[in-house]
Amino acid sequence: MATTKLFLRVKNSPTPTTINLRINNGRSFDLTVRTPYKVISNEWDEQTQRRRNPFEKTTPRNPEGKQLKKEIETLNNNLTLLEVDFQNFITINPNASKDEVKKYIEDKYFPTKSANKKVATPKKNEIPELFSECIEFYIREKSKRITGKQIPISVATHKKLTTIKNNIIKYKKSLKLNQVDDNFRDNFTQWMQDLQYSSSTIIKDLKYIKSIIKHFSKKAKISIDPLNWEFITEKQDFTFPILSFKELEQIENTIYPHEYLENAKDWLIIGCYTGARVSDLLNFNHKNIIEDNLLQFSQKKIQNQTNDAEEIIFLHPKIIKILNKREGQFPRKISDQRFNEYIKIVAKTAGLTNIMLGGKIDKKTKKKKVEEYEKWELVTSHIMRRTFVTLFVGILDKDLIKTQTGHKTDEMVNHYDKTAKIDKAKQVREKFETILKIS
């Protein structure tokens, strides 16, 4: 998976300097390109890779402050969209050369005017005729921050919508907005099934398409069919894996042949006892520890979409034990991709070889394949949040669970809770027995 980093070459300059983008896609691919955006160096935050925003938790009252806040938010949103554009380009073109990547950014962000050819410029708010272009229009509309009315879509949503747009182009490039109807739904569903997409992915894509059509329903001519679409979610035939307390102890006590596995193992233990997203987890810093066992950090996934990105979480004694072993430091930082590779080896080395039904991405088709695997094969970074919620939901109430995981709704907590029905019944029994003893 390609990684990106935004940075400044020039520091301590009183004039705006160019923001650069570094792209790394494996050991042999390391490229730095300029972006069309600039910032004064002392206003740049190297940790968040964004312009510092003094108005994150306050609202300016004077016009100058409001304008400055708008400029900062616009720049930071544009940087987020730029990173997503590159991730999508690399995903679609995994073997792209450095010259092809350079051409992509030059064409998209530094377009040159042709002297011999006049290109018709569409009106700013004119709704395109092609559905694929409507999706791009929708992305731009939903990426704007409108104070009091709309927060920008997340990076993940932007990426998902771009994937849908690319699939629409592959399915039928000439598809028009008003041709998205029941016939389209049935044919597009069959097309995705032929490509071995899972039912959950197909339904999710159709729900997004329904939302897009609804968005344009008062602005353009559409078929009303999508507005009446209803979806039946098929019953999941397997359960996503979690790690039990016994398995965590097994992983913790195993001796690993290489230091990088010991490092990954410590991150895995920390993740399972905090429930943090991997993008936040691997950026934990001992300097942000307050009151000995509380950690303060900003959620990377939502820091540009909301003012409520700051979190403070409790560090379990298991985590403090790891920090003490490492002289107060968190494990060495590694990339998400390497982490996912290493924790599979960690789980295998620890003996998590029991057979279970699960879904795994097939390397040839790039689609999830459901069959029986050894448990270590199904271990990914997402197992940490599922493990935390499942192990501690019976101990902590949902509000406290959300404090640790950063989830905003009980529905999301329920989604991550993989507690078996018999275990839930036992929890009810234990609580009743405790109440009866007291009474």
Side-chain angles (χ1 to χ4, degrees), residues 73-335:
E73 290 176 345
T74 299
L75 172 63
N76 290 340
N77 287 340
N78 286 337
L79 292 174
T80 298
L81 295 175
L82 182 144
E83 286 185 302
V84 172
D85 281 343
F86 270 97
Q87 289 287 356
N88 289 333
F89 177 77
I90 295 297
T91 299
I92 298 168
N93 306 279
N95 299 316
S97 65
K98 291 183 180 180
D99 287 340
E100 288 172 328
V101 174
K102 287 180 181 178
K103 186 178 185 305
Y104 171 74
I105 190 171
E106 289 295 332
D107 290 346
K108 180 152 189 175
Y109 293 98
F110 301 96
T112 56
K113 294 182 179 180
S114 173
N116 301 321
K117 185 179 179 181
K118 292 184 178 180
V119 180
T121 304
K123 295 179 181 179
K124 186 176 180 182
N125 296 318
E126 184 179 352
I127 298 172
E129 188 177 8
L130 294 179
F131 184 53
S132 58
E133 294 178 2
C134 285
I135 299 176
E136 188 65 37
F137 185 97
Y138 178 82
I139 292 172
R140 290 197 303 270
E141 288 287 299
K142 290 297 182 180
S143 296
K144 298 175 183 176
R145 181 184 292 276
I146 305 175
T147 303
K149 184 177 179 181
Q150 173 180 290
I151 59 174
I153 56 175
S154 67
V155 174
T157 299
H158 186 289
K159 188 173 182 178
K160 179 63 176 173
L161 288 168
T162 303
T163 300
I164 293 173
K165 181 194 75 173
N166 293 331
N167 273 343
I168 290 294
I169 293 173
K170 293 175 186 176
Y171 165 73
K172 186 179 179 181
K173 190 174 182 178
S174 61
L175 181 72
K176 296 179 180 180
L177 174 64
N178 60 9
Q179 292 175 331
V180 180
D181 53 18
D182 287 349
N183 287 330
F184 157 80
R185 177 198 58 195
D186 298 341
N187 293 331
F188 185 65
T189 297
Q190 187 60 55
W191 180 80
M192 293 190 75
Q193 288 175 337
D194 292 342
L195 292 174
Q196 298 183 5
Y197 282 94
S198 68
S199 297
S200 60
T201 299
I202 296 171
I203 291 172
K204 186 180 292 186
D205 286 7
L206 289 173
K207 285 182 177 179
Y208 272 112
I209 290 171
K210 178 180 179 179
S211 297
I212 294 167
I213 297 298
K214 185 177 180 180
H215 177 77
F216 289 113
S217 62
K218 295 181 180 179
K219 305 176 183 179
K221 183 179 179 181
I222 64 160
S223 166
I224 64 170
D225 290 352
L227 304 181
N228 298 312
W229 286 353
E230 294 183 357
F231 306 98
I232 300 174
T233 303
E234 293 186 6
K235 186 178 180 181
Q236 187 175 293
D237 55 1
F238 68 93
T239 301
F240 290 106
I242 65 157
L243 298 172
S244 64
F245 282 120
K246 183 178 180 180
E247 287 171 328
L248 286 172
E249 186 175 354
Q250 195 173 325
I251 290 171
E252 184 181 0
N253 295 333
T254 297
I255 297 174
Y256 298 91
H258 302 289
E259 187 279 333
Y260 72 88
L261 293 178
E262 181 73 19
N263 189 76
K265 179 263 291 185
D266 283 350
W267 275 128
L268 179 60
I269 297 295
I270 294 171
C272 289
Y273 280 98
T274 59
R277 295 182 180 91
V278 67
S279 57
D280 296 325
L281 173 74
L282 298 177
N283 286 294
F284 280 175
N285 192 313
H286 71 284
K287 295 179 182 178
N288 295 327
I289 296 177
I290 58 177
E291 297 186 19
D292 297 329
N293 57 6
L294 299 178
L295 180 73
Q296 186 172 11
F297 67 96
S298 180
Q299 295 184 84
K300 188 175 180 180
K301 181 178 179 181
I302 64 172
Q303 63 187 5
N304 293 313
Q305 282 78 45
T306 176
N307 293 329
D308 192 25
E310 292 297 321
E311 294 291 348
I312 298 178
I313 63 173
F314 169 69
L315 300 179
H316 190 279
K318 289 283 188 182
I319 301 172
I320 300 300
K321 180 180 177 182
I322 291 173
L323 297 182
N324 291 339
K325 179 185 73 173
R326 294 179 172 273
E327 299 181 349
Q329 303 279 337
F330 280 98
R332 185 183 69 261
K333 184 177 178 179
I334 56 177
S335 68

Side-chain angles (χ1 to χ4, degrees), residues 16-27:
T17 185
T18 297
I19 301 171
N20 295 285
L21 176 70
R22 182 179 181 183
I23 310 159
N24 186 283
N25 192 25
R27 295 180 180 179

